[in-house]
Amino acid sequence: MILSGKAMVAGVMGWPVGHSRSPRLHGYWLESYGIDGTYVPLPVPAGKVEQALRALPVLGLRGCNLTVPHKEAAAKAVDRLDPAARRIGAVNTVVVHPDGSLEGRNTDAFGFIENLREGAPRWDATAGPAVVLGAGGAARAVVAALLDAGVPEVRLANRTRARAEELAADFGGPVTVMPWEWRGRALADAGLLVNTTTQGMAGQPPLEIDLATLPPSATVTDIVYTPLVTPLLAAAKRRGNPLVDGIGMLLHQARPAFHAWFGLMPQVTPELRRFVLEGL
Ligand code: ATR
């Protein structure tokens, strides 16, 4: 793509940022919609994110995404937060307004629920409890999305119980904390199982969980997408449970950000999915 002098510029701040799929993802959309714009990796070390964010309006950038380790620090650095970012306590998208002020948003909850609805159209939020494993930043976005979708109960289990207790206290509502050792037992009448831990990621041991009591109709999803079929998803597949892999959350969380910066709500297509997976 050849840019004009009026090209719109956005990017992703992270450290390291070299592994990020976002330039490939946004680049695909910019190219396929013929937009005069670009999306670049921005290697910003820990501790420098406020300085880097304040440079965005000075340089005329539209905004940026934030990835590890900047999501929480960005929430403190911006001028205001949208309701999702405030609730989740982390910012994955910054929008520069015409007056130069910075708005922090969080589109991870949107990405999670859109991916789930697309991948498991028969999943009914109200049909049963959702079991969520993990209590990090990703879990906070997942719990926010599930409560908004109307699940009757979220059962939360985390290796470090105190983190799960904190998450439950922050969110209020029907979130109950289960001991990590009971994670298998929490599945008995569940309608959904979500892994938000790093277990099952390439280089990590598989998530250990006994799926014996999980109803065959329950949907199983993993936010890990390297590998695309995690040991958890493979085990659920053998039992015949409906599955949703994690790459779609990455693709869908990018849509509202692209819309905010470049003015068009892009679509997730099978070609885009293939294109982003090829880069993994
Ligand atoms: P993210 O923001 O992507 O969610 P995170 O905050 O580092 O990342 O959270 C990682 C999650 O994986 C946590 O829930 C973590 O559990 P702890 O809170 O006990 O650290 C979980 N996790 C990491 N390694 C784990 C392991 N070996 N067994 C079980 N859970 C693990």
Side-chain angles (χ1 to χ4, degrees):
M1 161 76 63
I2 304 292
L3 302 173
S4 82
K6 294 180 187 143
M8 299 175 277
V9 183
V12 53
M13 293 183 187
W15 190 271
V17 77
H19 66 279
S20 173
R21 301 295 135 201
S22 294
R24 193 171 168 87
L25 168 54
H26 286 275
Y28 176 94
W29 280 329
L30 288 165
E31 183 80 26
S32 52
Y33 293 114
I35 293 172
D36 184 19
T38 188
Y39 181 104
V40 292
L42 299 166
V44 174
K48 296 276 188 196
V49 75
E50 175 153 24
Q51 215 179 321
L53 287 172
R54 289 295 157 195
L56 292 174
V58 182
L59 294 168
L61 270 70
R62 295 280 167 146
C64 69
N65 282 133
L66 286 309
T67 184
V68 177
H70 299 315
K71 288 186 179 189
E72 283 83 17
K76 296 195 177 78
V78 294
D79 299 307
R80 58 188 176 281
L81 297 173
D82 80 347
R86 192 172 311 117
R87 189 154 164 234
I88 296 164
V91 161
N92 76 336
T93 303
V94 166
V95 177
V96 177
H97 286 282
D99 65 357
S101 65
L102 304 176
E103 181 187 344
R105 300 184 182 177
N106 193 306
T107 66
D108 285 334
F110 172 89
F112 173 76
I113 207 76
E114 288 283 301
N115 182 41
L116 186 57
R117 292 204 191 282
E118 184 185 270
R122 290 166 69 188
W123 174 69
D124 173 6
T126 61
V131 176
V132 176
L133 304 177
R140 296 178 80 88
V142 166
V143 171
L146 292 174
L147 293 178
D148 287 350
V151 298
E153 184 190 355
V154 173
R155 292 180 187 153
L156 191 61
N158 191 49
R159 178 181 59 176
T160 311
R161 185 180 172 121
R163 263 183 118 186
E165 302 274 8
E166 196 182 323
L167 194 163
D170 286 352
F171 278 78
V175 182
T176 49
V177 176
M178 310 280 291
W180 181 243
E181 297 69 35
W182 290 9
R183 60 197 180 282
R185 275 190 260 172
L187 302 176
D189 53 349
L192 178 71
L193 169 62
V194 189
N195 176 46
T196 78
T197 76
T198 49
Q199 300 293 276
M201 199 179 270
Q204 298 283 334
L207 175 75
E208 275 182 43
I209 187 164
D210 181 358
L211 299 180
T213 62
L214 185 71
S217 59
T219 299
V220 179
T221 185
D222 203 325
I223 70 158
V224 171
Y225 57 83
T226 50
L228 197 55
V229 181
T230 60
L232 171 67
L233 292 181
K237 189 174 184 186
R238 285 194 293 275
R239 303 176 76 253
N241 288 86
L243 306 177
V244 182
D245 65 48
I247 190 75
M249 180 173 171
L250 172 77
L251 305 180
H252 281 283
Q253 62 76 32
R255 294 172 57 219
F258 187 94
H259 179 245
W261 304 319
F262 302 118
L264 182 153
M265 189 68 163
Q267 293 309 309
V268 168
T269 60
E271 291 71 34
L272 171 69
R273 207 179 128 90
R274 268 198 300 278
F275 181 75
V276 173
L277 285 172
E278 269 169 30
L280 283 178

